Amino acid sequence: MSFLPRRGRPRRKRRPGHLAAAAVFAIGMAGTTLPTPLYGLYRRELGFSELMVTVVFASYAVGVILTLLLAGNHSDVAGRRPVLLCALGFAAASAVCFLLEGGLPALFAGRVLSGFSAGLLSGAGTVTVLELAAPGRKSRASLAATAANMGGLGCGPLLSGLLAQYAPLPLSLPFLAHLALVAGACVIVLLLPETVPDARPRVRPRPRGLYVPARVRGVFTPSALAAFAGFSLLGLFTAVAPSFVSHTLGIGNLAVSGLVVFSVFLSSTAGQSLTGRVPVRTALPLGCLVLVGGLLLVGASLWAGSLALLVGGAVCGGLGQGLAFRAALTAVGDAAPPAHRAATVSSFFVVAYTGISLPVVGVGALTMWLGLERAGLTFTACATLLAAATALHLVRAPRDDSR
């Protein structure tokens, strides 16, 4: 008789938590940087210029920004899981475009679809990780979200560089591998609990454009400036660094190119892990100052043609970017009201992805007249001034002592 009540109670299934959501986030973001070491192969095959490389790269950022503007707040209404599944669908469609090898139109289509995926993941993925964390693990969840973002972006070029260099089918196998990972991520999403009460998956997106609640703007502005400065460095490495490694340094190993790009994102993740030990009001300007040091090293590597200095710039700049980025995202996420959190975080990423795209296209245009080294030096000079000015603004701006 004593067993009957136990049989009558349904067992509560343990569902995946914030770490599983972070894994989905990382897999999706890895697809956005997967083509980075392969641009040289596409250039030789299709015969386009360095400017076109940066334009193809920037089309991804256009897709991100459009998605954030048109559907950045959609997961607040439709629910996190449907939006995550849609993002993974776009990631799979992007991989298929690259597998078709249909020339520049297919590259542009793949990059834009990848941007759609990243745009949905940036808001919904971040918020899902934060909301699935237990009350005592909010700080760890914030690190998991930002580490999944940067770590995923870094693993993309590392994976494709290794496969392209040491495995057959260099322009196909990386995307086939990512399709397999995306399939696994879809299974995880189906097992995740929904965190939006009364979610309406079939509701149509209602674009609100850039929306930042009035009470958040004092925190949002300096945080977005720091993100813009840091993402401009990431754009330089993901779009231009592989060309510098192969053309200027004469290193044709695609795995090395992928490792150089990976180093900046790995360092960003390490910088994010330090943010919990430093108050947000200190981490933001400190991160920008470390970023300045990284940019100076990158400039020195372009001047001297040194791989060691380039890697040093990637490590130092990545640390600064990660330190500032997580502090900025934490400040914005904490300040935003729950009903508008995804929309506010999406607006934050619009500013960040503007920083990753526009300056890089400028480098590509300057390369046509000045050459790769001088164009890179011009970029690093401008980015250094921006990061230094942002740090000065953050130091002088009034701060909330509670943060």
Side-chain angles (χ1 to χ4, degrees):
M1 297 294 293
S2 61
F3 292 99
L4 290 177
R6 189 173 296 176
R7 287 178 183 173
R9 290 178 197 157
R11 286 191 177 182
R12 298 180 66 184
K13 293 182 179 180
R14 187 175 180 181
R15 307 190 78 174
H18 74 280
L19 292 179
V24 171
F25 194 3
I27 289 170
M29 296 306 292
T32 67
T33 52
L34 205 64
T36 295
L38 309 178
Y39 286 135
L41 299 179
Y42 286 119
R43 282 187 65 186
R44 287 196 294 271
E45 186 173 296
L46 302 176
F48 52 82
S49 66
E50 190 67 39
L51 174 60
M52 189 56 65
V53 170
T54 59
V55 173
V56 169
F57 172 82
S59 65
Y60 150 77
V62 171
V64 174
I65 293 170
L66 283 176
T67 304
L68 291 172
L69 291 173
L70 298 176
N73 63 328
H74 191 51
S75 72
D76 288 333
V77 179
R80 311 303 182 201
R81 291 198 303 171
V83 172
L84 290 175
L85 287 172
C86 185
L88 293 172
F90 281 129
S94 171
V96 170
C97 286
F98 281 98
L99 285 170
L100 293 176
E101 297 186 32
L104 274 175
L107 294 186
F108 275 112
R111 292 301 288 159
V112 171
L113 288 168
S114 184
F116 292 163
S117 173
L120 292 175
L121 284 168
S122 296
T126 299
V127 175
T128 301
V129 175
L130 295 176
E131 290 176 341
L132 285 178
R137 297 189 176 183
K138 294 297 182 183
S139 178
R140 291 183 181 181
S142 176
L143 174 59
T146 51
N149 192 342
M150 293 297 121
L153 290 169
C155 287
L158 182 63
L159 173 65
S160 61
L162 288 170
L163 290 177
Q165 184 66 38
Y166 300 113
L169 304 173
L171 293 180
S172 300
L173 191 57
F175 301 102
L176 291 171
H178 189 246
L179 280 173
L181 291 171
V182 168
C186 288
V187 174
I188 295 174
V189 172
L190 293 173
L191 297 174
L192 290 175
E194 180 56 69
T195 60
V196 176
D198 302 320
R200 292 175 289 163
R202 300 192 180 196
V203 70
R204 292 184 178 181
R206 295 182 178 179
R208 298 193 63 174
L210 291 175
Y211 179 72
V212 179
R215 74 182 196 185
V216 184
R217 290 170 191 168
V219 174
F220 183 89
T221 300
S223 300
L225 284 172
F228 184 97
F231 269 59
S232 65
L233 175 74
L234 300 183
L236 177 71
F237 272 89
T238 50
V240 179
S243 295
F244 176 73
V245 170
S246 61
H247 296 160
T248 303
L249 302 182
I251 301 174
N253 190 306
L254 298 177
V256 172
S257 295
L259 190 59
V260 169
V261 179
F262 173 73
S263 66
V264 70
F265 290 105
L266 178 65
S267 299
S268 173
T269 305
Q272 292 166 30
S273 69
L274 300 175
T275 307
R277 306 176 186 179
V278 183
V280 170
R281 64 178 181 272
T282 302
L284 276 168
L286 178 61
C288 287
L289 290 174
V290 177
L291 176 62
V292 168
L295 286 164
L296 291 174
L297 285 172
V298 171
S301 74
L302 294 170
W303 183 267
S306 169
L307 178 63
L309 286 174
L310 182 65
V311 173
V315 171
C316 183
L319 281 171
Q321 187 275 338
L323 185 64
F325 175 71
R326 186 187 171 202
L329 184 59
T330 300
V332 170
D334 288 347
H340 302 294
R341 187 168 290 142
T344 305
V345 170
S346 295
S347 298
F348 173 81
F349 278 105
V350 166
V351 179
Y353 278 99
T354 302
I356 208 174
S357 57
L358 290 182
V360 170
V361 174
V363 172
L366 286 174
T367 300
M368 304 295 293
W369 292 281
L370 302 179
L372 184 59
E373 295 81 4
R374 291 182 180 180
L377 285 170
T378 303
F379 168 86
T380 53
C382 294
T384 299
L385 290 174
L386 174 62
T390 303
L392 180 62
H393 171 80
L394 289 165
V395 168
R396 296 178 64 182
R399 296 283 175 177
D400 183 352
D401 293 333
S402 66
R403 292 187 182 278

